[in-house]
Amino acid sequence: MLANVRNQLPADTSVHWHGLALRNDMDGVPGATQAPIGAGEDFSYEFIAAHPGTYWFHPHVGPQLDRGLYGALIVDDPNEPLVYDDEWVVVLDDWLDGVTGTPDEVLEELSEGMMGMMGGSGGHMLMGARSDLLGGDAGDVFYPHYLINGRPPADPETFTSAPGRRVRIRIINAGSDTAFRVALGGHRLTVTHSDGFPVNPVDTDAILIGMGERYDVLVTLGDGVFPLAAAAEGKGETAFAILRTGSGETPRPSATIPEMSRSILTADALAADPGVAFPSRTVDRELTAKLSGSMMAYDWAINGRRFDPANPLDGALGVRQGERVRLRIENTTEMWHPFHLHGHTYQHAGGGPRKDTSIVLPRKSLTVEFDADNPGLWAAHCHNIYHAETGMMTILGYQTT
Ligand SMILES: [Cu+2]
C-alpha cells in the first residue's frame, strides 16, 4: 500500500496506521519511527497490509486526532469467509473542536489539573461522569456533540437496505475521551471480529467499545425503521443514526432502546477464532506496564515515568526477535484506560480475543501475549489522547537478532 501525505496544516503531523502490523519505519510516531512531517511537507508511507480487517489511521502528534483527522482503513480479505449482502462502516466520535474550544486548549487546561480548574480557565473538564461498566470515572472531557459518521443526532446518517438482508457492520471508536455503548434497536448483534481479527461468534444486544477499539458485527435486518445508537458511556448523551428497511415512523434520538440495557458485550466475553489463536508455547519474556496518575494532578504515566522516547519500557530492550512475550498491564489508577500496542496484535491471556487496543478497568490488570516478530521501536500507550499526550505512553522496542 502506498499513501502520499501532503501536510497542509500549519503544524507538524504524521499518520499512524492503527492496528496494522507494518514495517516499523512506516508506523508514524515522530520521535520514535520518523521525523514529523512539517507544514507544507510531503511524506510517502509504503507498506504491506498483511492482515485483513477493520483498521483506521490518524496523526500521532498532539491532540490532532480530536480534530477529526482520521479515516477508516478496511483491508479486504481476498478469501473472505463471511457471507453478507451489505457492508457498512460506523465511525463514532466525540466532538468539541470549534464549538467549545479546540483540542489544544483542552490539553492545556487538563495538563494544569486541579490548578487549572481552580483558575477557572476553559471549563472543558468533565466531573462526575460515572459508569459501572467502566468501573467508575467514565471520562475527563465535556463534549457538546457525539457523532456517527461525522453527523449529530439532529442530522443523522441513514442506512437504507431491505428486510432479511445480512449486513456486516464495522464499528470504529475514533473518539478521544469517550467509550460508546452501541446497539441497534430491534436487533441482536453477532460479534465476528475484534480489532480486525476473527473471534468465535457471540450474540449480544449491545457492545462496549473504547477509544481505538473496533468490532465487526453481523446483523440480519428486520422490517421497518430502527435507531442505531451509540451512548456516550457515563456521559448521558447518545450518538445516533437511522436504519431504514421499510415503512414506519423515524425514531427520535431521545427514544429508549431496550437493547442498550440488556446484554452488553465486552472483550472478556470473546475468544480468538482457532485460525488466529496463538499456538501455546513457553513464555520467554515477561514485561509489566503499570499505569499511574490521576485526573486531579493529570500526571498520567507508565511505570512511574512520563513519556520519554529515549527511555523505553522496563525490560523491553532485552526482548529478542522471535520470543513469546507476556505483557501485564496493571491499572493502578481510579480510571479506566484503553491500552494500545503498535505493530502487533496480541491475544488476551487464557484464550481470549486477538486485539491491539484493550480496556483496562481501574485497579484491575490485563495480561496479553504476543510474538516478538516485528522488530523496531513500537509505541504503547493509553488511547485516551489526553492521557497519552500528558505522559501515559512508552516505547516497547526490540531489535532484530
Ligand atoms: Cu488513559
Side-chain angles (χ1 to χ4, degrees):
M1 176 179 148
L2 175 65
N4 296 313
V5 177
R6 172 155 295 175
N7 180 9
Q8 296 183 322
L9 303 171
D12 288 353
T13 194
S14 74
V15 181
H16 167 59
W17 311 90
H18 184 121
L20 291 182
L22 41 57
R23 48 183 283 186
N24 185 249
D25 59 352
M26 295 290 127
D27 194 47
V29 180
T33 70
Q34 69 170 96
I37 310 171
E41 289 179 7
D42 293 346
F43 190 89
S44 292
Y45 291 92
E46 189 171 359
F47 55 85
I48 305 290
H51 301 104
T54 303
Y55 302 95
W56 62 304
F57 60 94
H58 58 77
H60 224 278
V61 173
Q64 287 181 0
L65 163 62
D66 208 9
R67 291 177 175 267
L69 287 169
Y70 57 74
L73 177 60
I74 308 304
V75 181
D76 285 326
D77 188 341
N79 305 302
E80 177 59 59
L82 289 185
V83 179
Y84 45 89
D85 304 304
D86 296 317
E87 181 179 342
W88 301 333
V89 176
V90 168
V91 181
L92 314 172
D93 198 4
D94 42 20
W95 191 274
L96 61 80
D97 192 23
V99 183
T100 59
T102 68
D104 293 291
E105 289 167 9
V106 173
L107 179 60
E108 196 185 333
E109 185 188 325
L110 291 174
S111 303
E112 293 167 9
M114 205 52 191
M115 294 303 290
M117 271 202 26
M118 298 298 203
S121 68
H124 298 100
M125 196 183 265
L126 179 64
M127 305 298 293
R130 309 285 301 175
S131 158
D132 289 343
L133 274 180
L134 294 171
D137 191 356
D140 295 346
V141 181
F142 169 76
Y143 286 90
H145 298 296
Y146 295 96
L147 312 176
I148 289 183
N149 292 354
R151 305 175 81 110
D155 178 26
E157 168 94 294
T158 300
F159 296 99
T160 308
S161 190
R165 284 176 77 84
R166 206 165 156 76
V167 181
R168 178 181 196 165
I169 309 177
R170 301 176 184 263
I171 307 164
I172 301 168
N173 184 349
S176 288
D177 177 70
T178 306
F180 289 94
R181 191 191 299 200
V182 183
L184 175 58
H187 293 76
R188 294 267 287 170
L189 313 171
T190 302
V191 180
T192 62
H193 292 73
S194 60
D195 296 354
F197 279 65
V199 295
N200 292 329
V202 176
D203 290 346
T204 185
D205 295 302
I207 300 176
L208 181 72
I209 177 167
M211 295 84 83
E213 288 190 290
R214 292 90 62 210
Y215 286 103
D216 292 17
V217 302
L218 281 178
V219 180
T220 303
L221 301 181
D223 188 354
V225 189
F226 307 94
L228 172 60
E233 183 65 27
K235 294 185 171 183
E237 299 287 335
T238 298
F240 179 81
I242 290 167
L243 161 64
R244 187 179 294 278
T245 64
S247 58
E249 211 170 301
T250 303
R252 291 166 188 274
S254 58
T256 302
I257 300 166
E259 285 78 6
M260 277 290 180
S261 43
R262 289 184 187 152
S263 61
I264 304 155
L265 180 134
T266 52
D268 52 2
L270 296 173
D273 177 282
V276 299
F278 285 132
S280 72
R281 57 172 273 197
T282 311
V283 171
D284 303 297
R285 194 75 55 173
E286 298 202 37
L287 304 175
T288 300
K290 203 176 277 191
L291 314 181
S292 63
S294 73
M295 185 180 172
M296 284 303 128
Y298 234 74
D299 54 349
W300 307 110
I302 295 180
N303 289 356
R305 294 189 301 274
R306 289 188 162 191
F307 180 55
D308 170 8
N311 197 353
L313 183 73
D314 308 76
L317 291 178
V319 173
R320 297 281 162 263
Q321 186 180 8
E323 288 184 342
R324 172 68 55 89
V325 180
R326 178 177 289 161
L327 173 63
R328 189 179 140 85
I329 307 147
E330 209 179 306
N331 183 355
T332 71
T333 80
E334 297 298 333
M335 186 177 182
W336 73 286
H337 304 280
F339 189 85
H340 173 49
L341 173 62
H342 289 212
H344 303 77
T345 298
Y346 50 69
Q347 184 173 7
H348 284 204
R354 292 284 300 270
K355 289 187 103 320
D356 55 63
T357 311
S358 301
I359 291 173
V360 190
L361 295 175
R363 301 276 165 201
K364 303 276 187 210
S365 60
L366 174 72
T367 302
V368 303
E369 292 183 7
F370 63 94
D371 287 334
D373 55 5
N374 197 10
L377 298 171
W378 299 106
H381 61 91
C382 176
H383 222 283
N384 181 311
I385 204 67
Y386 296 100
H387 294 186
E389 287 304 315
T390 51
M392 197 178 269
M393 173 147 59
T394 188
I395 296 287
L396 202 166
Y398 58 94
Q399 301 305 319
T400 318
T401 47

